Amino acid sequence: MNRIRSLALPIAVTLTAGALSALAAGTAQAADVNVARNGGFESGLANWSCTGGTGASVSSPVYAGSGALKATPAGQDNARCSQTVTVKPNSTYTLSTQVQGSYVYLGATGTGTQDVSTWTPGSGAGWQKLSTTFTTGPNTTQVTVYTHGWYGQPAYVVDEFSVFGPDGGGGTDPGPSVPGAPAGAAVSGQSANALTLSWNAVGSATGYHVYQDGVRVKTVTGGASTQITGLTASTSYSFQVSAYNAAGEGPKSAPVTGTTTGTDPGPGPGPAVPKHALTGYWQNFDNGATVQKISDVSAQYDIIAVSFADATTTPGAITFNLDSAGLGGYTVAQFKADIAAKKAAGKSVILSIGGEKGTISVGDSASANNLANSAYALMQEYGFTGIDIDLENGLNPTYMTQALRSLSSKVGSSLVITMAPQTIDMQSTQGGYFKTALNIKDILTVVNMQYYNSGSMNGCDGKVYSQGSVDFLTALACIQLEGGLDPSQVGIGVPASPSGAGSGYVSPTIVGNALDCLTRGTSCGSFKPSKTYPGLRGAMTWSTNWDAKAGSAWSNSVGPKVHGLP
């Protein structure tokens, strides 16, 4: 992901003639205020009037805070909700609000000059800002502002309604105050590596910050409880919670102590990975590929890499959040049961660290320990039998090695560790990925380099090869095979279909030819390795979902080929 740094740039300021006169006279203009009342609907429909009883205060959906206005057109009633605001004559005001729904209108009447309105034909399920301005007449002290829907259309939702301009003397909508300290903090759900922290909700809070032994470790926006993972067995921890909103962060709660249990059964030994294995990435999101449950993944796959773990505010630590809604109501209980069933069938289900939300940095011993502890806790919670390293922002071989060895010491010999570096990461043994792979050679399962989205690269013979060919696959695999990895630790990673990657797709036939070339010395292109590698682990694809979208053509062809290798 590209990251844009903030730059300190000179700012050009334009002043009106009136403002210049005021400054020259040594006076200052008063700041604009919000002359609307209860614009966030935190006090129900106070200060508002809706035609025909069409409006109601709701707690969901909301743009901010705890309330919003929902109004439903009925018959010849367009569900108009309005209030009268006190204004200053000969002044300009900005009227704005956040809306959801079809055909939502915003306007002002009785301005004393030209009444205004604006509208949107629809914002779907997302929020959209409507805004307009009006100027009051020389004798205008009150203006009616309103919002409404349209005849025969569904309900619309409005939140954060404001009318900013000079104070007309009728009072203003008070801004939010800093929330108070949450009460009722308690610890439950103790395990060897995790504790559940809960507290009483604070009405004016937007979210909560969680502190562990005085250090902020988590921010929670979806409720008043959270699980703290990656903890050490038989250890006591102190927790506090603070609430925050637009006005800032409030005071911390009284500390509460929780102690992890002393028994640490671990995730249990995983099944052995076959001599020749097929790896597939399973998508925990819907991007147009076939939405799958773990149970839907083809039996051809020996290693299923769940994509992806999420980063946390703790350096190096990860968590996992099943996208139940995006996956058609797939529950956590079903997900765990499906992992257990795959495990019973001899499959390895591992958690991949990477992707947009999984970009982590392991650059010191503390973050290395955080990665190992949090990964181990997730293995215990969900039944994962290992992890996959799919970081595209580089890695520090010293501390990634420390993290993976620490995790291995916790899990034991059944731990599955896979990697999915880009081609550039494996061009030299001096690269961070290659160094890490060699550092953990005794516990590494397989490196499935991504032979796609790459462009042309050097092969082990020093020649340049273009992606999308059998030579690209074999000549680049040769670098790893001759660079110190065991053949059992080398796999060929390719897209399952042209939709799976921007470039570099090859047909299953080309994958099969590359496997034959490397293991048997047959079906090679212009590049032929000096020897064969019959112990080659196999192949990988992004993703099982794109494979299913294409009728499982990739796994039905490459799977038997891999499993039939010598």
Side-chain angles (χ1 to χ4, degrees):
M1 180 188 296
N2 292 325
R3 299 182 184 275
I4 301 174
R5 296 183 179 180
S6 299
L7 300 178
L9 299 176
I11 301 174
V13 179
T14 301
L15 297 178
T16 65
L20 286 170
S21 298
L23 289 173
T27 61
Q29 292 181 323
D32 287 345
V33 297
N34 181 13
V35 299
R37 305 299 299 272
N38 189 30
F41 303 96
E42 311 300 328
S43 300
L45 295 185
N47 303 101
W48 289 91
S49 175
C50 297
T51 57
T54 53
S57 175
V58 295
S59 58
S60 178
V62 298
Y63 181 80
S66 59
L69 165 69
K70 183 176 183 179
T72 308
Q76 298 301 307
D77 192 335
N78 62 8
R80 185 177 189 268
C81 296
S82 62
Q83 71 167 272
T84 299
V85 297
T86 302
V87 295
K88 192 173 183 179
N90 295 320
S91 301
T92 299
Y93 292 82
T94 298
L95 172 64
S96 65
T97 190
Q98 295 286 342
V99 302
Q100 245 189 65
S102 301
Y103 295 93
V104 188
Y105 289 73
L106 174 71
T109 62
T111 62
T113 56
Q114 182 176 357
D115 293 348
V116 298
S117 68
T118 186
W119 65 287
T120 175
S123 59
W127 289 96
Q128 180 179 343
K129 186 176 182 178
L130 284 181
S131 183
T132 187
T133 62
F134 64 87
T135 301
T136 56
N139 300 309
T140 304
T141 57
Q142 288 191 320
V143 170
T144 298
V145 292
Y146 65 84
T147 181
H148 66 74
W150 197 245
Y151 309 103
Q153 296 296 317
Y156 67 92
V157 186
V158 169
D159 200 1
E160 298 304 292
F161 194 105
S162 64
V163 185
F164 275 96
D167 187 357
T172 61
D173 192 20
S177 58
V178 173
V187 172
S188 62
Q190 289 92 338
S191 69
N193 299 101
L195 295 168
T196 297
L197 179 66
S198 61
W199 56 90
N200 297 338
V202 178
S204 60
T206 302
Y208 303 90
H209 295 312
V210 176
Y211 293 82
Q212 176 183 316
D213 295 328
V215 177
R216 185 191 295 183
V217 295
K218 209 166 190 181
T219 296
V220 180
T221 58
S225 67
T226 188
Q227 185 181 50
I228 311 297
T229 60
L231 305 178
T232 302
S234 301
T235 304
S236 293
Y237 296 89
S238 177
F239 299 100
Q240 290 176 285
V241 184
S242 67
Y244 69 88
N245 60 18
E249 181 181 4
K252 297 183 182 71
S253 67
V256 60
T257 300
T259 303
T260 52
T261 61
T263 56
D264 188 358
V273 175
K275 177 182 178 182
H276 300 297
L278 197 70
T279 301
Y281 285 78
W282 174 84
Q283 298 176 186
N284 180 39
F285 49 86
D286 179 5
N287 66 347
T290 299
V291 172
Q292 292 184 309
K293 297 179 173 63
I294 292 294
S295 57
D296 298 327
V297 175
S298 168
Q300 293 287 352
Y301 292 99
D302 305 292
I303 303 174
I304 303 168
V306 171
S307 310
F308 292 98
D310 295 328
T312 71
T313 56
T314 302
I318 58 172
T319 187
F320 178 74
N321 299 290
L322 184 68
D323 184 13
S324 296
L327 302 181
Y330 195 17
T331 67
V332 171
Q334 287 177 300
F335 178 70
K336 291 179 179 179
D338 288 348
I339 290 175
K342 285 290 186 183
K343 184 175 176 180
K347 310 298 181 181
S348 298
V349 183
I350 64 178
L351 179 61
S352 181
I353 303 170
E356 179 186 356
K357 297 181 179 179
T359 302
I360 65 167
S361 178
V362 180
D364 53 32
S365 292
S367 56
N369 288 332
N370 290 337
L371 174 57
N373 290 337
S374 58
Y376 184 60
L378 292 171
M379 291 179 67
Q380 288 184 301
E381 181 177 358
Y382 291 96
F384 299 124
T385 54
I387 62 171
D388 168 70
I389 306 300
D390 185 19
L391 300 174
E392 296 182 2
N393 60 320
L395 51 79
N396 182 308
T398 299
Y399 295 108
M400 183 56 73
T401 297
Q402 178 183 325
L404 296 176
R405 288 205 172 277
S406 175
L407 181 60
S408 176
S409 69
K410 298 173 184 291
V411 178
S413 61
S414 67
L415 176 67
V416 175
I417 300 177
T418 69
M419 294 183 173
Q422 302 169 102
T423 53
I424 191 66
D425 296 321
M426 302 299 288
Q427 284 278 287
S428 167
T429 55
Q430 297 306 304
Y433 250 109
F434 215 142
K435 279 187 176 181
T436 303
L438 294 175
N439 287 348
I440 62 166
K441 185 177 176 180
D442 56 316
I443 58 173
L444 174 66
T445 306
V446 63
V447 175
N448 292 303
M449 190 173 73
Q450 302 175 42
Y451 295 76
Y452 51 93
N453 291 342
S454 168
S456 299
M457 300 297 294
N458 289 323
C460 67
D461 57 355
K463 296 180 179 179
V464 176
Y465 294 94
S466 299
Q467 64 180 2
S469 66
V470 65
D471 288 333
F472 188 78
L473 303 181
T474 55
L476 268 68
C478 174
I479 296 177
Q480 300 172 62
L481 292 163
E482 293 301 311
L485 292 181
D486 189 85
S488 67
Q489 295 172 323
V490 177
I492 296 175
V494 294
S497 75
S499 301
S503 64
Y505 170 76
V506 293
S507 70
T509 299
I510 296 297
V511 179
N513 289 343
L515 293 171
D516 280 337
C517 179
L518 292 168
T519 60
R520 297 184 171 98
T522 62
S523 303
C524 298
S526 62
F527 172 81
K528 186 172 182 177
S530 59
K531 61 182 179 181
T532 59
Y533 308 92
L536 193 81
R537 180 68 77 174
M540 171 275 281
T541 196
W542 177 268
S543 62
T544 66
N545 306 74
W546 286 116
D547 182 28
K549 181 81 169 182
S552 299
W554 192 88
S555 57
N556 286 340
S557 175
V558 180
K561 189 71 177 179
V562 166
H563 298 137
L565 291 175

